Amino acid sequence: MNLDFSEEQNQLRDQVRRFLEERCPPKAVRQVLEGETDYDAGLYKGLAELGVLGAAIPEEYGGVGLGHLELCVLTEELGRVLAPVPVASSVYLVAEALMQAGSEDQKSEWLPQLAAGDAIGCWAINEGSGRMREEKVSVRFENGKLTGKKSPVADGAIADIAIVAAREGDGISLVMVDLSAGGVTREALDSVDPTRAQTRLVFDGTAATRLGGAGDGWHIASQVLDRAAILIAFEQLGGADRALEMARAYALERMAFGRQIGSFQAIKHMLADMYVSATLARSNCFYGAWALSSSAAELPVAAATARVSATTAFQHCAKNNIQTHGGMGFTWEYDCHLYYRRSNALALALGSLSTWESLLIERMSAGNVEAAA
Amino acid sequence: MDFNDTPQEAAFRKEVRAWLDANAPKHLEPELKRASFGSSGLTSEDPIEAGKKWQKKKAEAGWAVLHWPKEYGGGARTPIERVIWGQEEGVYGVLSGPFTIGHGMCGPTVMAWANEEWKEKLLPPLASGEDIWCQLFSEPASGSDLAGLRTRAVKADDGSGDWIINGQKIWTSGAQNSDWGLLITRTDPDVPKHKGLTMFFLRMDSPGVKVVPIKQANGASGFNEVYFDNVRIPDDQRLGAVGEGWKVSLTTLMNERLSIGSGMSTGFPELFRFCMEADVDGEPAVADSGVRSKLAQFAVKQSGLKYTGMRAISALSKGETPGPENSIGKLVAGATMQELAMFALDLQGESGVVWDEDSPQNGRFQAMLMRSPATRIEGGSDEILRNIIGERVLGLPGDIRVDKDVAFKDIPTSGSRK
């Protein structure tokens, strides 16, 4: 038994951390926050050249062919610096969906472009307010044409292709849309976290091709979501760790009542609790990484476990990072709110916390109790 | 990353399983399965006698105290082998409960500080379950502030070199069954408190030692008060130098947190089983989304602790020192157990108040509710553990201390405040 990343994987982490420290300082995140640009295109290209985007994509499809453990390591680093790039949409979701269900033609056409950062993908499942479920899908796919609205869609404004869940006959299918081909309106949505822009996509008889079998869409989507949930959990883990580090640094530096505020138990214990939730999340994420990389039978339970734990940890650490900073933490100038925004946006991405909590217990009840015993 | 046994691990597991199959006291299994919170579950046999029998059997076959060296009666097994043994021993491990403090804390302290002669005399009977040990640390006026202890050790004035002990200890688990005790005392009240302490070990049947069980808030009596009235201890039963007791105690406490924190149960598997069966509004409790949310949060704490433990084992297997992450174990397990017990009673509706044989799982959750406050206090309270994480793991500054450079006798006490 071995529940740890290898030395090579940790070297990869160091390499990408150094790259991101240089290429993705808070200033880069703020340029997207303040609307100067939709995403950091230079950084995204750099990540492609470094092999980050194609880490888990096989070499025959233009990837690096390392694997999902490596992708988890890289993902955590992206989460630490709040990288304002569409990796989650394009890689964890769209590339994963193509690898899971794409035809040979679809894979050969799109995976190399996604790996190279030449094309960006987005994942269009949601339809308005409320927890998303199969019955709520109203976008229709008939005779190769797509009609209806999807929102919110992360990175919908900058994507070249979309994977859309649509009603086809009696079932739900996934379809691929070339967003540059016309017949699609993109409406920007204001959001809690502008560093990952949200969009409404309106399809009006837009040409689309099916991904996977007719009526298999919800099943495929749920498999893709499980895999993406583990990757997002690593982003959350990176964010939680960074928020804790920021709080710790401030607790050491800030003086009040003639002493460092970190010497007060009220602050110290709050930070200890942040460490506890981040540690639990890390251990659960390792379990998720193992399940993802080995496609274990426990993957659905492991995904929900990692996801619930990491969501809880990131929200906990981000809000208490602001609390530790006091009033300064609530200024636009300090970076605390960037982590607070991202923690709350990621808590909803791929389905909300309560959705995943419910899924975890549903899956455990279905027979895989050992996973958490 | 790999969760499967290596071929060596699988072979070891097979060996353990075969030995247990041939030797475990299977007739006790149904009773041991009911073990919970301070009770071994045994009714047909005396738990201490049954424990001693099982420990002896294990010792004869080389399966006792797997983390100790062989020369002192241990099994000298690797961390991963210990984990496999624990998984396979299962409920029978409950039988070795009376030896936990001796094997986990007192023994390692003796091993680190006693001379060879004493080690050879004391450790093998502790390993084989012939002797039971207790740890005489906490006092009525010094719990979290252990170094504030007041039990005095004074040199006898007869030139024998012996020490005369007077004072009182409290919260001593298993003192009523113990043969030996590890005792920390104050030998010098004129120096700052950490500097005037000295550690000894003594026979619990020494003249002047009196053990009085404490009736606890949950009605049980696992803990004791221990009184010392002119108890004489020979100087060669001292561990470490005079005045070095604090340093010696750190060996014990380090082992205490390791042995208490690792593999602690939160009670989640039992709660989950209960929720699969319990009826809430005409459906199993797990069908209710509110119940599911609560359960999921308990589930990820339980699994988080489990995989944190596995990370430590992975590090040990590779010959590395585990990181500080294991310091979270007891903090998480204690608080989770308490919340979880309250939730389990909540799901029982008004009858959750009833605590008898007909209560779900024989009243396990009621027992858990009433025992869990102690878990959050014993072996380092939640607050002390948060200080440890804050200061040793995160490197935050210590609290400002008003007693640090003051002679012990001049430190204000609860009684001296008017």
Side-chain angles (χ1 to χ4, degrees), chain A residues 241-259:
Chain A
D241 257 13
R242 185 69 196 115
L244 171 58
E245 285 170 20
M246 290 162 73
R248 175 183 174 272
Y250 194 74
L252 286 170
E253 160 201 319
R254 171 79 177 185
M255 301 288 286
F257 304 99
R259 54 204 271 202

Side-chain angles (χ1 to χ4, degrees), chain B residues 57-89:
Chain B
K57 205 167 205 178
K58 288 197 284 185
E60 283 165 0
W63 295 118
V65 210
L66 299 188
H67 62 291
W68 284 15
K70 284 197 170 145
E71 50 182 315
Y72 302 126
R77 294 293 181 168
T78 64
I80 191 78
E81 288 173 335
R82 274 139 55 187
V83 171
I84 292 170
W85 168 268
Q87 289 167 345
E88 296 299 326
E89 188 184 19

Side-chain angles (χ1 to χ4, degrees), chain A residues 204-226:
Chain A
D204 183 14
T206 317
T209 52
R210 201 182 320 101
L211 181 80
D216 291 344
W218 202 256
H219 177 66
I220 300 166
S222 120
Q223 285 182 329
V224 172
L225 283 170
D226 280 349

Side-chain angles (χ1 to χ4, degrees), chain A residues 1-4 248 259-260 265 268-269 273 275-276 282-284 287 305 312 357-358 361 371-373, chain B residues 1-2 4 9 292-293 297 300 302-304 307-308 311 314 318 325 332 386-387 391 394 397 399:
Chain A
M1 194 211 62
N2 177 24
L3 188 58
D4 200 0
R248 175 183 174 272
R259 54 204 271 202
Q260 289 161 287
Q265 290 191 338
K268 188 180 292 173
H269 289 189
D273 286 339
Y275 175 80
V276 167
R282 178 167 300 279
S283 299
N284 283 320
Y287 169 49
T305 299
T312 305
E357 285 171 340
S358 212
I361 298 304
Chain B
M1 291 208 191
D2 188 3
N4 298 322
E9 288 161 6
R292 290 215 283 240
S293 278
Q297 286 295 333
V300 302
Q302 166 90 15
S303 65
Y307 298 119
T308 300
R311 287 169 57 200
S314 304
K318 286 188 273 184
E325 57 274 357
V332 174
R386 287 192 176 95
N387 278 352
E391 292 168 23
L394 298 176
D399 216 330

Side-chain angles (χ1 to χ4, degrees), chain B residues 1-22:
Chain B
M1 291 208 191
D2 188 3
F3 273 62
N4 298 322
D5 283 344
T6 62
Q8 295 96 310
E9 288 161 6
F12 179 74
R13 192 182 294 280
K14 204 173 148 198
E15 184 190 346
V16 168
R17 210 171 270 182
W19 188 83
L20 286 167
D21 194 48

Side-chain angles (χ1 to χ4, degrees), chain A residues 108-277:
Chain A
S108 322
E109 181 177 3
W110 291 109
L111 285 174
Q113 295 192 58
L114 294 173
D118 292 336
I120 291 171
C122 69
W123 178 254
I125 300 291
N126 295 309
E127 296 192 17
S129 193
R131 287 187 199 164
M132 196 54 205
R133 51 180 208 279
E134 198 170 352
E135 298 74 33
K136 276 187 68 181
V137 175
S138 72
V139 167
R140 289 188 322 280
F141 178 60
E142 284 164 346
N143 307 320
K145 307 275 186 206
L146 197 61
T147 309
K149 293 178 187 173
K150 286 284 180 186
S151 87
V153 177
D155 303 307
I158 53 174
D160 303 285
I161 53 170
I163 291 182
V164 183
R167 194 158 289 284
E168 181 183 22
D170 295 336
I172 305 295
S173 301
L174 290 184
V175 297
M176 285 189 69
V177 183
D178 184 345
L179 295 174
S180 59
V184 185
T185 313
R186 310 189 203 205
E187 299 164 4
L189 302 171
D190 287 336
S191 98
V192 166
D193 181 15
T195 64
R196 248 177 213 178
Q198 303 289 338
T199 310
R200 180 183 296 114
L201 297 182
V202 183
F203 303 104
D204 183 14
T206 317
T209 52
R210 201 182 320 101
L211 181 80
D216 291 344
W218 202 256
H219 177 66
I220 300 166
S222 120
Q223 285 182 329
V224 172
L225 283 170
D226 280 349
R227 301 177 73 82
I230 293 166
L231 295 162
I232 294 266
F234 271 91
E235 274 198 16
Q236 293 171 305
L237 180 61
D241 257 13
R242 185 69 196 115
L244 171 58
E245 285 170 20
M246 290 162 73
R248 175 183 174 272
Y250 194 74
L252 286 170
E253 160 201 319
R254 171 79 177 185
M255 301 288 286
F257 304 99
R259 54 204 271 202
Q260 289 161 287
I261 62 168
S263 68
F264 290 109
Q265 290 191 338
I267 300 289
K268 188 180 292 173
H269 289 189
M270 185 161 67
L271 291 176
D273 286 339
M274 290 159 74
Y275 175 80
V276 167
S277 56

